[in-house]
Amino acid sequence: MSNLRFAFRQLLKSPGFTATAILTLAIAIAVNATVFAVMRVVLYQPVTPAHPEEVTGIFSNRPTARGNDYRRLSHAEYTALRGATDLFRDVSAVHPTLVGVGEGAEARRSLSAIVSENFFSFHGVAVVAGRPFTSAECQPGAAQNVVVASHAYWQRIGGRPDFLGSRLRIGGQTFTVVGISPPKFSGLNALIIPDFYFPLGAFSQLGGGLVGELAAGADLANPQIYSLSVQARFAPGITLVAAKTRLPALTARVQSVAPPLGEEATGATRVLEFGAQQRFGISDAPDTESITPALGAVLQGMAVLVLLVASLNLANLLLARGAVRRREIAVRMAVGASRGHIVRQLLAEGAVLACLGGLLGAILGSLGMQGVIVSLLNNVGQTSFAFSPAFDARPDGWVTLAVGALCAGATLVFSLGPALSLSKRELALDMRTGGGPDGVDRRGWRALFGSRSLLVTAQLALALALLFTATQFFRGGVKLATRSPGFTVNGIAIMEVDYALARVPKKELAMRFADLQRRIQHFPGIQSAVWASLVPFDNKDTWRRAVALGPQAAEPPAGKAPGAYGMYTSVDAGYFQQLGIPVVAGREFTRAESDLGDAPRAAIVDEKLAHRLFADGIAVGRRVRVGEADRASEYEIVGVVRSPWHDFAGDEPPARLYLPFAQDPGATAFLQLKVNTRDRAALSGLLQTIRREMAEWDRSALVLQATSLEDFVAHNATLWVLQSTAAMFGIFALMALVLAVVGVYGVAAYLVSRRTREIGIRMALGATARAVLNLVLGQSARQAFLAVGMGAGLAIGLARLLASQLTILPPVDVFSLGACGAFLFAAAVLAGFPPARRAARIQPSVALKSE
C-alpha cells in the first residue's frame, strides 16, 4: 500500500507525463475492450446460457447430387424425439416468424418466435415477470392468444408497469401479455432478440415464417409441415460421441412414429444429424465455418497489437523519464533500498497508470460499443422488421475481467523492462552525473540497438504490419464494391408492400398486387413496375429444390437424392429486362404467364442450376418438379439467365430459380420501379407521393420501406460487417502509426537533448547547420529503414495468414507493400525533423554551458 501511495505522489509531480501515459493506454485498452465485447457476443457467448455443452441441434438431412438437403422437422417428428428419454433429457422446438404489431398505417413487423412450452427452461432461464407457456397452450390448434414479450421490447416502449396483462394487436388479433423474457436473452440468435414469443398452439394463426414459406393457417399437426427447428439436451452420462453412434436407431425410431409421406417417402432415405444451430442466421442446416470467426480472431489480434505498440511507446516514455530519476534512485539505493524494492516501486507506478488507463479505457470502450450498436441498427436494422440487439454498451463481468487482464499485461510490458534497467545502474556514476546516456555513446547503426531505439523500431515494424493489413482490407473492399453485381442498380427504386399485417386472404393476393401494379406503372416518372418476392442483396432469402424430369436429367451419385437447390424468387414479366440481367437462352416470362388465370406453369433457371439439373446443361424446353411433398408442381423451363449476386460474400453467385409472380405470390413482395430520375430528393418525393396514393387505393397495403435499390444494397448485413472491419483496421493502423511516429520524435528529441554539448562543439569547430540536420535525420532514417525491413517480413507473413482464412483479401501485392513502407519511412523521417531543426539552430556558446 505504501508503494501505491508513493506512486500516486510521484505521478502527480509529472502531470503532463501522467496524462499522456493514461490517455495512450486508455485509447488502446478501449479498442481492445470494444473488440472483445463484440467478439464475445459474436463468437463466444452461447445462445443457450445454461450448460451449452449438453445441447445439440437436430437436423433432417438427405444427401443429394449437389451436397445436402436439410429441412426442419415436423411436429410429429419433434414429438417422437421428445419420447427418446434414454438419449435426451429435454427437447425444445422453435419456429421463427414475422408478425404484424398494431393496425393500419401504424402496423409494423417484428421478428418473433413460436416456441414449445419448455423453451425457456430448456435454455436455463426464467421469465422475469409473469409465466411461461403451458403444455395446453402449445398443443397444435390450441389457438390461445397469449404472448411472452421480450424484455428489450418492453423497455423500447417505455417499460410501463402495467405492461404485464395488457393486450396487443398482433396479426390482426388480440394477444394477452402473460410474461416478459429475461434481459439480453434471445434463444434464437447470438446477435438479435425477437420481440415476441408465442406458443406452438398459435402456429396456424401466425405461420408464414421469415420469407413467407408457409401460408397463414397452416396446420402444425399436418405431418408434411416441416417447420420446427429442434434442439435437444443430452441425458446424464450421454456424450455427443456416444449419441452419434445411436443416430441410426434414433432415425428409425422417429420414422416409425412419423413415417415419411409424399415425396419424402421416395428417393434416398433421410437421416438425422447432430450439429450446432446457426449463431447469426436462422437456417435449416447446422452451423458451418464462416468468415466471422476468422474476422473476429484477426480483429482481436490487431487490437492486441495496438495495445502492444502503445505499451512499447509508454516503455519508451518511462525510460526517458527514468533518465531524470537516476540520481533519485541512486540516492534511495545508497540509503539502503534494495533493487527488488526499487523494481516493486516502479512496477507500482506502472500499475497505477494501467489502472487509471483501464478505467478510462472501459468508459471509452462502452462508448465504442454504443457506436457499434448504433451502426448495426442504422445499417442492418434498416430492414423491414423490428428487433433488438442481443447485447448492450454496458461492460459486463467478462469485459471487466478482460480489461483487468489487459491492464496487468500492459503493466508488465511497459514497466518491467524500464524498472529492471533503471535499478541496475552503477551507484557512483548515477549519484555523480544522474546516469550515463542510454546508448548515446553509440554512433551510426550501433545506436539503433539501444533500448529506446529498439522499442521505437518495434513500434514502427508493428505499425507497418497493421498499415499493410488495413490496406489489404481496403483493396478487398474496393474489389467487392467494384465487382459487377450482375444487375442494374442505378435508376431502380423498390417498395416493400405487405398484406400479411392486414391478413388479406391468399386467394386475393395476386389480384391486389396486379391492381397496384396497373395503377403505379402509369404513374408520372415511372418507366416500368414489376413485382418480385425477393430483392438482390436482401438480408434474407429462400431456397427451393428442383428435380429434373426426363431422360436428360443428371444422374445423382449412388445413395444421393436427385435434384438441386436454387435461391428462389417469383417475378413478373419484364423483371430481367428491368434489372439488365442477361437472358442467355430462351426467353423471359410472358405477360400471359404473369397474369392471373390458368396460364402454363413456366420456370426460369440460371446457368449454374441448368448444369446441375441436366447432364448436358441444356434446360430450355425441359421440365422440372419444384417444391416438396404435396406442394410440388411441374414446370417447363422457358429461359436461362446469368445469375446475379445476392451477397458480398462467397466466390460465385448462388444458383437461381424463378417462377411467375402471379402463380406464387406471398403476402409480402417488392415492387421494383424503373424511374426517370436519379436525383435523391426527387426520387424521395416521388416515392412519398406513391405511398400516399397507395394508401388511398388500398388501405390494406402497408408500405414497409421505399428507397432506391442502391441504398437498399448498401444496407446489406455482410457489407456492414466488411465495412466495419475495414474501418476498425484503418483505425488500428492509424493509432499504431501515430504512436510509432511519436516514438521516433521522442528518440530524436532525446538524442538532441543528450548530445547538446557535443553538437555545440561540432558547430564551434565548423560543422554547418546542414551537417547537424543530417546527423539527426540520418539517425531517424536508419531507424525507419530497419523498421521497414522488419515490418515488411511481418506484414507479408500476416497477410498470407489472413488470405488463407479470408477469401475476400487480395494476394500480397509488392507495390502496395512498398507504398506502405515508403509512407511509414517518410512519416518516421519527418517526425525526426523538428528535433533536427532545433539541433541545427543551437548556438555553440549556449551549448557549451549546458549540463
Side-chain angles (χ1 to χ4, degrees):
M1 187 60 67
S2 60
N3 284 338
L4 291 177
R5 288 195 297 268
F6 185 76
F8 271 108
R9 290 198 299 270
Q10 287 294 109
L11 293 175
L12 289 175
K13 292 179 181 178
S14 306
F17 162 80
T18 303
T20 302
I22 291 174
L23 185 59
T24 299
L25 275 176
I27 294 174
I29 289 176
V31 167
N32 278 270
T34 301
V35 173
F36 176 80
V38 173
M39 289 303 104
R40 191 177 73 83
V41 173
V42 172
L43 296 180
Y44 312 126
Q45 181 172 280
V47 179
T48 300
H51 304 290
E53 71 282 356
E54 301 176 354
V55 175
T56 182
I58 303 179
F59 304 90
S60 180
N61 182 29
R62 177 171 54 191
T64 69
R66 295 289 178 173
N68 296 306
D69 174 16
Y70 287 101
R71 66 156 169 78
R72 296 175 187 168
L73 303 181
S74 68
H75 188 270
E77 292 171 325
Y78 161 64
T79 303
L81 289 170
R82 294 195 73 173
T85 54
D86 58 324
L87 192 58
F88 305 123
R89 178 155 57 96
D90 202 2
V91 182
S92 173
V94 59
H95 171 73
T97 190
L98 296 174
V99 299
V101 184
E103 291 184 313
E106 300 300 321
R108 292 294 180 268
R109 286 193 303 180
S110 286
L111 177 65
S112 301
I114 304 174
V115 302
S116 55
E117 68 272 18
N118 62 336
F119 179 77
F120 296 105
S121 62
F122 176 90
H123 288 283
V125 300
V127 294
V128 296
R131 63 170 178 84
F133 302 123
T134 66
S135 178
E137 291 166 343
C138 291
Q139 292 302 311
Q144 297 186 31
N145 292 9
V146 293
V147 60
V148 171
S150 72
H151 187 274
Y153 175 81
W154 176 45
Q155 294 299 308
R156 208 164 67 226
I157 64 172
R160 66 178 197 264
D162 63 341
F163 181 65
L164 188 65
S166 65
R167 296 186 175 185
L168 301 175
R169 290 294 290 177
I170 300 175
Q173 303 175 68
T174 300
F175 282 78
T176 301
V177 179
V178 298
I180 299 174
S181 68
K184 295 194 286 187
F185 170 74
S186 169
L188 191 67
N189 191 285
L191 294 180
I192 59 179
I193 301 174
D195 281 347
F196 303 103
Y197 301 89
F198 299 91
L200 287 180
F203 181 87
S204 60
Q205 300 162 269
L206 302 171
L210 293 181
V211 286
E213 66 263 26
L214 295 170
D219 186 4
L220 188 62
N222 185 341
Q224 296 187 65
I225 296 295
Y226 304 104
S227 57
L228 299 180
S229 296
V230 176
Q231 286 184 291
R233 190 178 290 277
F234 291 123
I238 300 295
T239 64
L240 178 61
V241 174
K244 285 184 176 180
T245 63
R246 299 167 65 173
L247 272 172
L250 180 65
T251 300
R253 179 191 301 182
V254 171
Q255 290 182 347
S256 67
V257 176
L261 301 172
E263 186 179 318
E264 285 287 317
T266 64
T269 304
R270 280 193 172 273
V271 296
L272 295 179
E273 291 182 3
F274 295 140
Q277 293 281 7
Q278 295 280 345
R279 284 187 61 81
F280 316 116
I282 301 169
S283 172
D284 305 342
D287 196 9
T288 56
E289 291 186 6
S290 65
I291 66 171
T292 308
L295 278 178
V298 170
L299 271 174
Q300 195 69 69
M302 296 298 101
V304 171
L305 284 182
V306 171
L307 181 60
L308 181 58
V309 171
S311 298
L312 293 176
N313 190 282
L314 193 52
N316 233 336
L317 286 175
L318 288 174
L319 282 174
R321 185 168 180 262
V324 298
R325 295 185 63 188
R326 289 173 187 146
R327 182 173 293 156
E328 168 210 331
I329 293 172
V331 170
R332 294 178 60 194
M333 295 182 73
V335 296
S338 66
R339 185 185 182 193
H341 180 79
I342 297 298
V343 170
R344 287 194 299 273
Q345 178 59 59
L346 295 176
L347 285 176
E349 293 181 22
V352 170
L353 287 175
C355 289
L356 294 175
L359 180 61
L360 181 57
I363 297 173
L364 295 177
S366 179
L367 295 177
M369 192 65 170
Q370 184 63 45
V372 172
I373 294 173
V374 170
S375 177
L376 174 66
L377 294 176
N378 288 342
N379 288 274
V380 182
Q382 291 294 322
T383 56
S384 54
F385 60 87
F387 66 88
S388 297
F391 50 92
D392 56 37
R394 293 171 296 182
D396 59 11
W398 285 105
V399 174
T400 303
L401 183 63
V403 170
L406 292 171
C407 290
T411 301
L412 292 177
V413 171
F414 71 74
S415 291
L416 186 58
L420 293 175
S421 175
L422 291 174
S423 62
K424 69 177 182 181
R425 296 287 180 178
E426 293 186 11
L427 190 61
L429 177 63
D430 287 350
M431 291 184 66
R432 186 173 63 252
T433 66
D438 181 19
V440 174
D441 57 329
R442 300 174 181 178
R443 298 293 184 268
W445 290 96
R446 290 182 60 212
L448 300 180
F449 298 97
S451 54
R452 302 194 72 229
S453 295
L454 280 176
L455 289 174
V456 174
T457 302
Q459 291 180 61
L460 288 170
L462 291 174
L464 177 58
L466 287 169
L467 185 62
F468 183 63
T469 302
T471 303
Q472 289 291 91
F473 266 88
F474 177 77
R475 290 177 59 217
V478 170
K479 177 183 175 182
L480 291 176
T482 56
R483 181 179 65 190
S484 173
F487 59 91
T488 300
V489 176
N490 295 326
I492 304 294
I494 60 107
M495 301 182 72
E496 187 177 10
V497 180
D498 182 275
Y499 278 113
L501 301 184
R503 300 188 64 81
V504 173
K506 186 175 179 63
K507 61 183 180 181
E508 296 183 17
L509 291 175
M511 180 184 65
R512 294 205 183 202
F513 281 126
D515 182 59
L516 286 178
Q517 182 189 38
R518 281 192 297 270
R519 292 173 179 266
I520 293 174
Q521 66 186 1
H522 299 299
F523 206 87
I526 302 298
Q527 296 183 26
S528 64
V530 297
W531 287 105
S533 62
L534 189 67
V535 174
F537 289 87
D538 196 356
N539 291 321
K540 54 186 182 294
D541 56 52
T542 185
W543 295 74
R544 288 194 180 179
R545 188 163 68 94
V547 178
L549 305 176
Q552 299 86 1
E555 287 292 331
K560 303 286 187 179
Y565 273 87
M567 185 179 289
Y568 166 70
T569 312
S570 60
V571 301
D572 262 334
Y575 171 85
F576 300 101
Q577 180 182 5
Q578 186 193 70
L579 287 185
I581 299 175
V583 179
V584 298
R587 59 173 174 82
E588 283 203 53
F589 294 128
T590 64
R591 178 55 57 188
E593 291 163 340
S594 298
D595 285 341
L596 301 175
D598 298 326
R601 290 187 173 272
I604 293 176
V605 298
D606 75 326
E607 296 170 295
K608 182 185 295 185
L609 191 59
H611 282 89
R612 289 182 177 181
L613 292 174
F614 301 99
D616 56 6
I618 299 175
V620 175
R622 295 174 177 173
R623 301 187 68 79
V624 293
R625 185 173 64 249
V626 178
E628 301 287 350
D630 59 350
R631 299 193 300 278
S633 300
E634 291 188 11
Y635 296 83
E636 178 185 350
I637 298 177
V638 299
V640 177
V641 298
R642 191 152 296 145
S643 181
W645 289 86
H646 187 74
D647 204 346
F648 287 95
D651 297 324
E652 58 183 9
R656 304 298 289 258
L657 170 67
Y658 301 92
L659 299 179
F661 180 79
Q663 296 182 18
D664 189 26
T668 303
F670 291 91
L671 183 62
Q672 294 181 180
L673 306 171
K674 189 171 183 61
V675 297
N676 293 328
T677 179
R678 294 187 181 181
D679 180 75
R680 285 181 176 269
L683 177 60
S684 177
L686 176 62
L687 294 177
Q688 292 301 319
T689 301
I690 294 175
R691 293 182 77 157
R692 288 194 298 269
E693 293 293 329
M694 287 178 62
E696 295 295 328
W697 298 334
D698 189 347
R699 293 188 177 275
S700 297
L702 180 65
V703 179
L704 298 173
Q705 57 180 328
T707 184
S708 68
L709 183 56
E710 184 178 8
D711 287 343
F712 184 88
V713 170
H715 288 108
N716 178 265
T718 304
L719 178 62
W720 175 79
V721 171
L722 296 176
Q723 287 178 333
S724 300
T725 303
M728 294 186 79
F729 273 122
I731 293 172
F732 295 167
L734 180 62
M735 290 175 59
L737 180 63
V738 170
L739 289 172
V741 167
V742 169
V744 172
Y745 172 85
V747 167
Y750 181 73
L751 173 70
V752 171
S753 67
R754 299 297 294 177
R755 298 177 66 179
T756 300
R757 287 175 60 85
E758 175 197 339
I759 293 172
I761 293 173
R762 286 173 178 266
M763 298 186 74
L765 295 176
T768 63
R770 177 180 294 274
V772 173
L773 194 69
N774 291 337
L775 173 69
V776 180
L777 286 181
Q779 184 71 13
S780 297
R782 284 188 290 271
Q783 187 172 49
F785 184 82
L786 179 61
V788 168
M790 295 170 55
L794 180 62
I796 292 174
L798 182 60
R800 287 179 175 173
L801 175 64
L802 294 180
S804 67
Q805 300 293 321
L806 304 172
T807 58
I808 63 170
L809 294 183
V812 175
D813 179 33
V814 176
F815 176 79
S816 298
L817 180 58
C820 291
F823 178 77
L824 184 74
F825 181 85
V829 173
L830 287 176
F833 183 76
R837 187 175 60 176
R838 189 162 58 247
R841 294 177 176 176
I842 290 176
Q843 296 295 325
S845 59
V846 176
L848 292 174
K849 296 178 181 179
S850 67
E851 291 295 332

